[in-house]
Amino acid sequence: MENYLSQLEKQLDEIKQLLRQSERNLKKLKGTPKEHINVSTRKGYTQYYLNKGKKGGKKYVSVADSRIATKIIQREYELSVNKKLIEMEKRLEKFIKNYDVDDIANLYLKLPEGRKRCVVPIVMTEEDFIAEWREKHPGNQNEYPEEGQFSTNRGEKVRSKSEKIIADTLDKYGVPYEYEPLFVSNKYQSYYPDFVALNVRTKKTYYWEHLGLVSDDDYATKNFEKILMYEKNGYIPGDNLILSLESSEYKFDVKSIEDKIKKFLL
């Protein structure tokens, strides 16, 4: 199951921001008359009446008094909004406090081993999901032209120092990844992306291409064609395709790699 906690917390922050704005709006309307405004339409014209209660009756609002009527209607609206936002804030805070997406999975994980052998869980555990994902995206599929020269912390061989840094940073943040998986385009052409990675929280798969030597014209052209290929196959930079760059002028930026991991893969 996908964990929506971060989205829920973001929604709560938006509600709190709106509530603060609502409080400011009400403060600006302090001193507005407490009377109610009745609105009616006759022969296509809108008319406003100041309702002074049972004893005071109704008074037609003239053009000269329309500014007061507008403020009263705005205040009534702001009060309704404020009340609703407070209700939403309390409900969402209570829901988040009791929200645990792992509740169902934990029912299976807490079973004795003997019972686990007899049960098919309704929700796949995170470990099983990652294992299944790795089976679908096996790495080290590209054997051409030679083995890599740099060893990652996981012990695999990669072709450049930059790729080693990316792999080790993915491993540092606990992101499941595979190096050089097989990618078959819709034209049945085979490609070998630098990495495929999994966002465990959202269960979303990303391909990662590191484009080195972008200042080289031939290399840049090949990379441009590769990006077009990805787009034609439904992989869009900034959505499900991650790109990192370096050139002779712009050196490899480790912080940029970490920022991309935090944005897309955590």
Side-chain angles (χ1 to χ4, degrees):
M1 292 176 66
E2 184 173 345
N3 190 338
Y4 291 98
L5 181 59
S6 62
Q7 291 96 317
L8 290 169
E9 290 175 337
K10 182 179 179 181
Q11 182 75 80
L12 182 59
D13 285 340
E14 291 176 358
I15 290 172
K16 288 181 179 293
Q17 290 175 19
L18 287 173
L19 190 53
R20 288 193 291 270
Q21 181 63 53
S22 173
E23 296 290 353
R24 289 193 292 268
N25 292 348
L26 283 171
K27 190 174 182 180
K28 292 178 182 178
L29 293 167
K30 187 177 181 180
T32 301
K34 303 296 184 182
E35 288 87 354
H36 177 67
I37 295 292
N38 292 119
V39 183
S40 64
T41 303
R42 292 183 180 180
K43 296 181 180 181
Y45 293 95
T46 302
Q47 296 178 328
Y48 299 91
Y49 295 88
L50 186 65
N51 190 333
K52 293 181 172 292
K54 294 181 179 180
K55 295 183 178 180
K58 297 180 182 179
K59 177 185 175 183
Y60 175 73
V61 178
S62 64
V63 175
D65 295 329
S66 61
R67 186 177 178 183
I68 295 297
T70 299
K71 290 184 69 174
I72 293 173
I73 293 174
Q74 182 69 37
R75 179 181 60 82
E76 291 178 342
Y77 166 76
E78 294 291 350
L79 287 170
S80 298
V81 168
N82 189 267
K83 180 180 179 182
K84 181 57 66 176
L85 285 170
I86 290 173
E87 290 176 0
M88 293 174 67
E89 180 188 37
K90 290 180 178 178
R91 289 175 183 173
L92 195 50
E93 283 178 338
K94 183 177 180 180
F95 181 82
I96 290 175
K97 183 179 179 181
N98 295 285
Y99 176 78
D100 189 348
V101 72
D102 296 323
D103 277 348
I104 299 299
N106 287 336
L107 290 174
Y108 172 77
L109 291 173
K110 291 178 181 179
L111 288 174
E113 288 301 320
R115 289 185 175 273
K116 282 184 180 178
R117 298 190 189 101
C118 303
V119 171
V120 177
I122 191 170
V123 175
M124 188 178 294
T125 64
E126 186 174 287
E127 292 77 8
D128 288 342
F129 184 89
I130 293 173
E132 184 178 276
W133 178 85
R134 291 189 188 280
E135 289 181 5
K136 293 179 179 178
H137 303 86
N140 299 299
Q141 299 299 297
N142 184 12
E143 298 179 357
Y144 179 85
E146 59 183 337
E147 289 187 1
Q149 301 300 312
F150 297 85
S151 295
T152 68
N153 291 341
R154 293 198 328 190
E156 62 206 342
K157 296 290 184 180
V158 296
R159 301 174 192 277
S160 71
K161 184 178 179 181
S162 297
E163 290 179 342
K164 168 180 165 52
I165 293 172
I166 293 172
D168 290 345
T169 309
L170 287 167
D171 187 55
K172 169 187 171 182
Y173 284 96
V175 176
Y177 77 89
E178 294 294 333
Y179 178 67
E180 290 195 338
L182 173 64
F183 180 93
V184 180
S185 73
N186 51 21
K187 292 186 177 181
Y188 302 103
Q189 293 176 304
S190 296
Y191 296 87
Y192 302 94
D194 293 328
F195 299 94
V196 62
L198 172 68
N199 183 319
V200 176
R201 178 178 58 82
T202 63
K203 305 297 188 291
K204 185 174 180 177
T205 296
Y206 293 80
Y207 285 100
W208 188 320
E209 287 285 0
H210 179 67
L211 310 180
L213 302 177
V214 292
S215 54
D216 182 272
D217 289 342
D218 291 338
Y219 189 83
T221 299
K222 291 179 180 178
N223 283 330
F224 179 72
E225 292 173 349
K226 184 185 290 186
I227 293 171
L228 287 179
M229 179 278 298
Y230 277 117
E231 290 186 344
K232 290 178 181 179
N233 284 269
Y235 288 87
I236 310 299
D239 179 17
N240 47 9
L241 175 63
I242 301 172
L243 300 177
S244 51
L245 312 171
E246 68 176 304
S247 69
S248 57
E249 295 181 0
Y250 298 96
K251 300 302 181 182
F252 187 82
D253 184 359
V254 177
K255 184 179 183 303
S256 173
I257 298 303
E258 290 189 331
D259 289 342
K260 291 178 189 296
I261 290 173
K262 292 174 182 177
K263 180 176 181 179
F264 297 106
L265 297 170
L266 296 181

